[in-house]
Amino acid sequence: MYALFFRLVFRWMDPERAHHAAVRWIRLTARVPVLRTFVAAWFAPRRKELRTQALGLRFHSPFGLAAGFDKNAVAVDGLAMLGFDHVEIGTVTGEPQPGNPKKRLFRLVPDRALINRMGFNNEGSAAVARRLEERRPVFRTVLGVNIGKTKIVPESEAVGDYVKSTQRLAPHADYLVVNVSSPNTPGLRDLQAVEHLRPLLTAVREAADRAVTGRRVPLLVKIAPDLADEDVDAVADLAVELGLDGVIATNTTIAREELGLRSDPDVVGETGGLSGAPLKARSLEVLRRLYARAGDRLVLVGVGGIENAEDAWQRILAGATLVQGYSAFIYEGPGYARAVNRGLAALLQDSPYATLADAVGADTRKAAA
């Protein structure tokens, strides 16, 4: 039904307009008690075999929604209703900003991919913090908060901008993510260099500890798939050295060549970050490298080209404790998380592993032996 609806309606709508319509539908459905109970019973059944412990938190499933879909934390309960057991909001910046000029979101339908140059359009950390403070959760879901740099803030003041967001948002986050890997904010990816990343992560860690008493908010960093292998190793080493809790691999890519893209060349040539199926191989490669370097000293989150349960299972075997999707949600529709979770349960049952924890990194360890 969704495939037919996509072909007849969504495919011909402006992608950003369609996105906002979907968010409104999800948000409104979750506001109707009888309706949300019915929807959740179908799309979000709990499977005890998928229970996961990570970041000092309990997850009903390792599968969640990546940052970018719900930038302003307006639809967290609705997304949990659809089966995402953790929802990462954002990217949120220190100050509100409109993002880049439209048109800035493009579908590559033959490639099951997206190109975006949204530019961190969001209401800013103060507004999002107020919304989270007023939120009364309907469903139990793990809430991640992804923070980035305000575009007009110069690189020399970037640390202060991240600290501002941390102070406002860390009290409401189950975990916090430092995003230094979007290609759509000028100079942002330069912060992935270890000499810039070290003081940034140190300052955010200290700010989170000051802002939150009684618990430690897990801190992760999200990296780009376009990093050279030696830079991936350097980030892994730094994360271990600083006592970070994890790394999210990966954000969107600026690459286009050698991806075998079949879409209209004019669309493929749009600037911005490419996400979806074409990113699958490189994201998996980065994940394997991180796990080989850091092992279980970091919680790794696999994201990028997760279309189905087999993709998620492959990331777990490569070293991911948690897995996220986004672009495939656009193409698969509201049954996406349900299908991934159901498939993961079946794959685990058919595997030699008693639990998901046993499967994490199994293939990467075998390859190294």
Side-chain angles (χ1 to χ4, degrees):
M1 289 177 64
Y2 179 79
L4 179 63
F5 181 77
F6 183 89
R7 285 197 297 269
L8 295 179
V9 182
F10 265 19
R11 184 169 180 174
W12 307 111
M13 288 180 66
D14 173 77
E16 189 168 352
R17 182 183 173 194
H19 172 86
H20 291 307
V23 171
R24 282 195 297 272
W25 176 85
I26 293 168
R27 184 181 184 182
L28 292 173
T29 301
R31 288 181 173 178
V32 182
V34 174
L35 188 55
R36 72 181 177 227
T37 300
F38 173 79
V39 172
W42 176 253
F43 288 109
R46 305 298 192 189
R47 292 178 169 85
K48 63 180 181 181
E49 63 269 36
L50 297 184
R51 291 174 183 167
T52 300
Q53 294 279 343
L55 304 172
L57 304 167
R58 293 185 298 110
F59 297 77
H60 290 297
S61 156
F63 189 63
L65 184 66
F69 188 89
D70 187 2
K71 296 177 182 294
N72 295 306
V74 299
V76 176
D77 283 317
L79 293 163
M81 173 189 71
L82 293 179
F84 295 102
D85 195 61
H86 67 277
V87 175
E88 191 171 307
I89 66 160
T91 294
V92 184
T93 54
E95 301 298 331
Q97 57 185 27
N100 292 321
K102 299 177 181 180
K103 186 176 181 181
R104 54 193 182 181
L105 181 62
F106 307 87
R107 298 191 195 100
L108 283 67
V109 177
D111 299 295
R112 293 176 63 84
L114 302 170
I115 291 174
N116 92 83
R117 51 173 180 264
M118 303 300 289
F120 290 167
N121 54 309
N122 74 104
E123 297 173 3
S125 56
V128 174
R130 285 193 298 271
R131 181 171 294 117
L132 291 176
E133 185 174 8
E134 296 167 359
R135 177 175 173 252
R136 299 296 178 263
V138 175
F139 299 103
R140 181 198 169 276
T141 188
V142 173
L143 179 68
V145 177
N146 184 302
I147 59 173
K149 186 181 82 68
T150 306
K151 184 176 181 178
I152 62 172
V153 170
E155 187 177 320
S156 60
E157 299 174 19
V159 171
D161 192 55
Y162 278 92
V163 165
K164 180 192 299 181
S165 294
T166 301
Q167 291 169 335
R168 292 169 173 170
L169 294 168
H172 310 292
D174 291 315
Y175 69 87
L176 194 65
V177 181
V178 171
N179 185 352
V180 288
S181 50
S182 169
N184 300 316
T185 296
L188 184 71
R189 286 190 168 194
D190 295 341
L191 297 176
Q192 291 177 114
V194 168
E195 63 270 22
H196 300 302
L197 194 56
R198 184 190 304 276
L200 171 60
L201 294 175
T202 299
V204 169
R205 176 73 272 165
E206 292 174 352
D209 291 342
R210 289 194 303 269
V212 182
T213 57
R215 67 183 178 100
R216 181 181 183 277
V217 179
L219 178 63
L220 300 87
V221 62
K222 187 169 187 175
I223 63 173
D226 306 312
L227 285 177
D229 287 347
E230 56 269 24
D231 293 325
V232 173
D233 293 343
V235 170
D237 293 344
L238 179 64
V240 170
E241 175 194 334
L242 296 180
L244 254 64
D245 298 276
V247 177
I248 299 181
T250 61
N251 211 319
T252 59
T253 181
I254 58 173
R256 299 291 189 271
E257 297 179 0
E258 300 180 3
L259 292 178
L261 299 175
R262 298 167 294 164
S263 297
D264 183 339
D266 289 338
V267 180
V268 170
E270 293 286 351
T271 59
L274 174 72
S275 62
L279 189 55
K280 190 178 303 185
R282 178 55 183 167
S283 291
L284 179 60
E285 184 180 356
V286 171
L287 178 66
R288 285 175 175 152
R289 191 168 191 95
L290 287 167
Y291 187 80
R293 191 79 174 187
D296 58 7
R297 292 176 293 176
L298 295 171
V299 171
L300 301 181
V301 183
V303 57
I306 308 294
E307 296 190 272
N308 49 46
E310 288 77 12
D311 292 333
W313 180 243
Q314 192 175 36
R315 300 303 167 95
I316 291 169
L317 293 175
T321 301
L322 301 173
V323 184
Q324 296 177 341
Y326 176 1
S327 296
F329 186 28
I330 308 303
Y331 291 103
E332 294 296 322
Y336 173 48
R338 179 180 187 268
V340 170
N341 284 323
R342 183 172 56 182
L344 272 178
L347 288 165
L348 176 61
Q349 184 177 17
D350 292 341
S351 78
Y353 309 107
T355 67
L356 283 176
D358 295 334
V360 172
D363 281 359
T364 303
R365 291 193 300 272
K366 287 177 184 176

